[in-house]
């Protein structure tokens, strides 16, 4: 169903990713819903598209100057073709909430989350879950339902979502 790998990246390489993405002036963009446009107003997050897919009205391909930061990661996961890469930021709202389960895409492909910080905002895969831990990667099938959640023990929950073949 999913596979978890801790200390996935070389320590120095991971610290460079953290330094770039977690810095105070990283360009995050508000998204008014998490899984569906019908989400209530208090369900929001911030994202940064690094590589755009074809499903939205975006230009397909590299969409961020931060893309080169992930080239070695893509080699390590044996990515042959990128569908999407995006950074996700969920703010601590002082309440625990599991978001609506969703599928990233309906077709079979590979996916993984790279967690950038320790927090208690779990990722759910059915009845099982994975706790975010810095430099932890979880590999899963994004065409199967999964969901994120808010954290209550850190100021933010930050990960990078990779969809690929």
């Amino acid at each position: 169903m999913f596979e978890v790998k801790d200390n996935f990246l070389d320590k120095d390489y991971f610290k460079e990713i953290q330094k770039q993405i977690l810095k105070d002036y990283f360009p995050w963009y508000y998204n008014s819903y998490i899984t569906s446009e019908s989400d209530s107003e208090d369900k929001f997050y911030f994202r940064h598209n690094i590589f755009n897919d074809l499903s939205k009205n975006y230009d397909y391909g590299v969409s961020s100057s931060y893309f080169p930061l992930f080239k070695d990661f893509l080699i390590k996961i044996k990515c042959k073709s990128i569908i999407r890469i995006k950074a996700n930021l969920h703010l601590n709202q002082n309440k625990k909430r599991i978001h609506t389960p969703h599928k990233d895409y309906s077709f079979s492909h590979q996916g993984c989350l790279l967690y950038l910080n320790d927090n208690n905002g779990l990722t759910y895969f059915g009845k099982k879950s994975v706790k975010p831990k810095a430099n932890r990667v979880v590999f899963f099938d994004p065409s199967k339902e999964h969901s994120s959640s808010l954290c209550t023990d850190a100021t933010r929950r930050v990960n990078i979502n990779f969809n690929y073949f």
Side-chain angles (χ1 to χ4, degrees):
M1 181 169 202
F2 61 86
E3 180 181 6
V4 176
K5 294 192 177 186
D6 287 336
N7 302 310
F8 186 71
L9 296 173
D10 168 81
K11 190 176 188 179
D12 291 334
Y13 177 41
F14 179 73
K15 289 289 183 197
E16 182 59 26
I17 291 173
Q18 272 188 319
K19 178 180 157 189
Q20 294 299 317
I21 306 299
L22 299 179
K23 63 187 175 188
D24 288 343
Y25 50 91
F26 184 80
W28 292 105
Y29 300 92
Y30 177 76
N31 203 71
S32 61
Y33 60 92
I34 295 172
T35 57
S36 166
E37 290 184 32
S38 64
D39 281 349
S40 61
E41 287 182 14
D42 63 343
K43 291 185 180 176
F44 65 89
Y45 77 113
F46 294 85
R47 73 172 181 218
H48 180 95
N49 292 347
I50 297 164
F51 190 98
N52 288 330
D53 65 5
L54 290 169
S55 70
K56 305 279 191 255
N57 291 325
Y58 304 128
D59 290 332
Y60 176 73
V62 175
S63 55
S64 170
S65 62
Y66 291 90
F67 177 78
L69 187 60
F70 297 99
K71 286 186 176 181
D72 289 342
F73 184 89
L74 294 168
I75 291 167
K76 186 166 175 97
I77 64 171
K78 297 179 172 82
C79 173
K80 294 180 181 85
S81 181
I82 304 167
I83 299 168
R84 177 183 68 178
I85 304 170
K86 71 180 181 105
N88 300 310
L89 164 68
H90 294 271
L91 297 174
N92 180 337
Q93 296 180 31
N94 294 313
K95 58 183 158 187
K96 194 73 174 150
R97 174 188 297 143
I98 300 172
H99 301 123
T100 306
H102 68 281
K103 299 175 182 181
D104 290 0
Y105 301 95
S106 59
F107 54 87
S108 182
H109 65 288
Q110 295 175 296
C112 65
L113 293 171
L114 169 62
Y115 297 107
L116 297 189
N117 67 321
D118 297 348
N119 64 79
N120 65 359
L122 305 177
T123 304
Y124 292 88
F125 303 96
K127 294 183 179 187
K128 295 184 178 184
S129 63
V130 174
K131 184 176 183 181
K133 179 180 176 187
N135 202 9
R136 172 176 280 174
V137 173
V138 59
F139 292 93
F140 64 103
D141 181 350
S143 68
K144 307 290 186 209
E145 286 195 341
H146 57 282
S147 58
S148 59
S149 67
L150 297 178
C151 70
T152 57
D153 66 342
T155 57
R156 58 191 173 170
R157 174 186 192 267
V158 183
N159 62 48
I160 313 295
N161 182 4
F162 297 85
N163 299 93
Y164 61 98
F165 291 105

